[in-house]
Amino acid sequence: MPHERTRSVIHTRDFLVELSRDPSLPARIRRDAKFLLRHYPTRGDMVTAGRIEEHADSLSGLLEPVFSSRIDD
């Protein structure tokens, strides 16, 4: 479901942030998490993508939205 996919992406970002800030982890893990976060979508990006997909007339009937503007935590 689009809202579950959106929530998963958001929670993955939160997890990467947590990893990047955890001093108990090796520097390589923290560095890799920071690297992945550089272009990882924010919560706002995900909500915007969901809204665009939900309201795109050109997709109507052809494709279902991939993401959702609704986030149920």
Side-chain angles (χ1 to χ4, degrees), residues 9-54:
V9 171
I10 290 168
H11 286 292
T12 300
R13 180 182 178 75
D14 294 343
F15 178 67
L16 288 170
V17 168
E18 205 175 300
L19 290 178
S20 74
R21 295 178 180 169
D22 187 342
S24 70
L25 294 173
R28 185 182 69 70
I29 300 293
R30 293 191 316 268
R31 185 185 63 241
D32 289 351
K34 286 177 190 175
F35 176 78
L36 292 170
L37 284 165
R38 285 184 56 204
H39 300 290
Y40 204 88
T42 64
R43 181 184 199 98
D45 293 337
M46 296 306 302
V47 170
T48 299
R51 284 186 183 137
I52 290 168
E53 290 182 11
E54 290 165 355

